[in-house]
Amino acid sequence: MISTTDFFKLSIITLALSTVLSACQADKAQQQVATSASAATALNVKASHYHQVQVAGAEYQLFTDGQGLQIKLGESQHSSYSGSFNRLTLQPLSADSLLVAAMDSNDNSLYLWRFSPKEQKPLVLIRQQLISSRVVEDLCFYQSHENQQLSLFLLGGRGGADQLLLQQKQEWLAEPLVIRELNVPYDSKACVVDQHTAALYISEADRAIWSYQAEPEADEGRSLVQVNQPFGQLQGEIMALQVLPDSSLLALEEEPARLLHISSKGEVISQNMVPAFSAASGLSVRVQGNSTTAYISNEDADAVQPLTLQETMKTAVATKPAMVQVKPTLQTEAASQRGDVMDDPAVWHHPSQPELSLILGTDKRAGLDVYSMQGKRVQQLAVGRLNNVDVRYNLSWQGKKHDIATASLRDDNSLQLFAIDQQGKLHNAGKVPTSMQEIYGLCMYQDAKTGTPYVFVNDKSGLIEQYRIDSNGTNWQGTLVRSLQVPSQPEGCVADDKRGILFVGEEDEAVWRFAAGAEADSKGEKIILVDDKVLVDDIEGIALAEHNGASYLVVSSQGNDSYVIYDAAPPYAQRLHFRITTNPQLGIDGASETDGLEVTTRSLGPGFEQGALIVQDGRNRMPEAGQNMKLVPWQSLLQELQKQNQSNQSQDK
């Protein structure tokens, strides 16, 4: 086993080799590129930060100087706001308005203005907020068209950044909400977000430029874009970053002032000195047709220097279309451990009082957690490493009527059985051995004619076994009755008791359909394929929902942090593609990297009268904590299904 020290050394060597190769490729590319920018006459504007932008059909200059925020139309003063501001950044709200942000360098307060030239009062301060979490080095907006959120990153220089949610579904929050805290390099200086690719770029002083994911529910990993000499081509401290429409990057080095044009792959396309400044700190970009101009400024508020880039711009990256968003209205307590702990939920329905129903959740490190419909943990059963769990009803145990929960136990590749009494307390009811080598997913099936419960359990090899569960009135036994097979690793599965159908998710490939009866043919068929657009591997949780005679399959598309609803009957048409987003009013974060999920269309009490979608949340934020379960009222999804159906009917006309 490699020690931590050796692993760290190996990582450094690997990084060095990769960056040397990157630098060699970049050097070769740069030798083929002539000077790619030309300096123009300095502007008649002295500013520490400068932007030129078109708003409401006119060209405006927005900049900061010793007196505050200034806005000019041509040579005329248009609007102003007094203060000591730095790190000025803009975000278009429409063709006629801008959102403007800056920091007060004296007291570390964030200022947000709306600039709407057509309004009676063009410049309106909409937010002034003292930032106490960190000293802010830079600001950058992120407008997620796909997830319909507007957020602002506050980059700190001491290893941290905050992501503030400002707007969701075109509605402004009463107060900005911190939806994510990021760990970033110590001495970070500048940030910018590519609005099309959702890449958040951060400069680490004079050492490196890193790329993170800007979506709050995305993976926390990062990738290296460029690094300092001798491994890369950075020389000075990177004080400002900007993204061009083709997703290439401009990076401004402070001293000596130098502008680097870097491809989205990290290759330096060109580098241009800015001789007018001994040191530079501000950078903005104006793109008009095929013409791109960089505006460079410094902290002394000298005359702004324009630099016209000569490279031919590539095609702009397309913006992703908006995706349907639904909000969770309840979440369970977090797992006690951080990391990949929870996996799969199931629901036990109270026989007479829906609000006393329970949520069962597997803990891949310890056992089974049981939660009330208020999200509180009410029971823990430390039986071992459980993966998937499911519930069925009415099976005698210890001489009394009980319900049954079954889970896949990875410690010894067995079926772990639980008896649920009429008060909702779970009891360890023993185990059933299997022939599995790496037990994984599981679901239950109850024959509609006989009432006999069965368990389908699968192995990472693709083997699926069906066990019948019998009761002698006191104890439960399991008997293998059938074996099925898919080509590669499955996990999620669900059985349709009414129609006698089993659906299985082969993680990287497809959803399969089998007959569920113990005496049925074992041959299956692929019915829904991974397409890497809507359904992106891994296929994880699968659940079945019944409503007004219609039957739906709900599938977790883990590869793009989304969920898909299909008809559960041929031709298995896609009905809805959606994500679970932040609920700012209740302080609940969205859901992502979901493993297991469950759907019930029976009442779970107040707020869930028509049932709920319950999903495992792989990244539990606000605040960062152990994984948990998020609940979305089924009524919310019915409304979205109805909207989608109406939209499809309109298009058909």
Side-chain angles (χ1 to χ4, degrees), residues 439-451:
I439 200 169
Y440 210 38
L442 172 148
C443 57
M444 295 193 71
Y445 165 62
Q446 197 155 17
D447 189 288
K449 294 181 180 179
T450 66

Side-chain angles (χ1 to χ4, degrees), residues 456-475:
F456 288 100
V457 62
N458 58 55
D459 185 276
K460 290 186 177 183
S461 67
L463 173 65
I464 304 166
E465 291 185 337
Q466 182 176 3
Y467 288 82
R468 184 183 67 246
I469 304 298
D470 299 301
S471 172
N472 61 12
T474 302
N475 296 309

Side-chain angles (χ1 to χ4, degrees), residues 552 565 575-576 637-645:
Y552 301 104
I565 298 180
R575 292 300 179 187
L576 187 67
L637 290 163
L638 288 176
Q639 291 171 355
E640 295 298 338
L641 282 166
Q642 185 178 18
K643 290 178 187 177
Q644 190 66 47
N645 186 48

Side-chain angles (χ1 to χ4, degrees), residues 81 84-89 99-113 125-134 136 138-141 151-155 162-166 175-178:
Y81 199 99
S84 180
F85 301 121
N86 60 16
R87 288 306 181 184
L88 179 69
T89 187
L99 185 60
V100 182
M103 294 299 300
D104 187 310
S105 56
N106 291 330
D107 65 3
N108 203 50
S109 287
L110 169 66
Y111 282 72
L112 291 171
W113 299 270
L125 180 66
I126 59 176
R127 186 76 186 173
Q128 179 183 348
Q129 178 178 339
L130 179 66
I131 303 300
S132 57
S133 59
R134 61 192 83 254
V136 177
D138 201 5
L139 303 169
C140 44
F141 283 110
S151 57
L152 177 67
F153 287 95
L154 307 181
L155 179 66
D162 298 323
Q163 186 173 7
L164 298 183
L165 181 62
L166 305 176
E175 292 187 2
L177 177 68
V178 177

Side-chain angles (χ1 to χ4, degrees), residues 489-608:
Q489 179 174 308
E491 183 178 8
C493 64
V494 66
D496 184 338
D497 294 351
K498 185 189 299 185
R499 300 170 183 85
I501 301 171
L502 171 69
F503 299 98
V504 178
E506 183 188 4
E507 289 192 348
D508 296 339
E509 299 295 334
V511 176
W512 287 74
R513 180 189 187 277
F514 294 87
E519 306 298 328
D521 188 342
S522 297
K523 184 179 180 180
E525 62 172 328
K526 291 182 181 180
I527 59 171
I528 301 168
L529 302 179
V530 167
D531 61 8
D532 292 325
K533 294 178 181 178
V534 175
L535 186 59
V536 181
D537 58 325
D538 292 348
I539 296 172
E540 289 287 339
I542 301 180
L544 191 71
E546 297 272 351
H547 179 74
N548 285 347
S551 182
Y552 301 104
L553 278 176
V554 186
V555 182
S556 166
S557 175
Q558 193 181 69
N560 57 0
D561 295 325
S562 68
Y563 312 86
V564 194
I565 298 180
Y566 301 92
D567 286 338
Y572 307 102
Q574 178 188 318
R575 292 300 179 187
L576 187 67
H577 185 206
F578 66 97
R579 287 199 172 115
I580 297 176
T581 189
T582 311
N583 188 325
Q585 292 75 24
L586 297 180
I588 303 175
D589 66 304
S592 55
E593 202 181 27
T594 290
D595 287 324
L597 57 77
E598 179 64 289
V599 172
T600 178
T601 55
R602 293 171 59 184
S603 175
L604 294 175
F608 301 99

Side-chain angles (χ1 to χ4, degrees), residues 210-238:
W210 298 92
S211 175
Y212 297 77
Q213 295 193 64
E215 287 292 347
E217 288 294 337
D219 186 12
E220 296 177 342
R222 65 177 184 174
S223 58
L224 184 64
V225 178
Q226 253 293 335
V227 71
N228 60 354
Q229 294 181 340
F231 303 119
Q233 292 182 269
L234 303 185
Q235 296 176 8
E237 194 164 34
I238 302 294

Side-chain angles (χ1 to χ4, degrees), residues 48-49 87-88 137-139 155 188-192 201-203 205 209 236-243 249-254 258-260 262 280-285 295-297:
S48 55
H49 293 276
R87 288 306 181 184
L88 179 69
E137 292 289 337
D138 201 5
L139 303 169
L155 179 66
S188 293
K189 289 295 183 182
C191 69
V192 70
Y201 294 102
I202 291 178
S203 68
I209 299 173
E237 194 164 34
I238 302 294
M239 296 299 292
L241 297 168
Q242 289 291 332
V243 173
L249 188 67
L250 294 180
L252 179 66
E253 292 182 341
E254 181 182 29
R258 188 173 71 132
L259 186 66
L260 301 178
I262 303 171
S281 57
L283 172 66
S284 67
V285 174
Y295 295 99
I296 301 167
S297 55

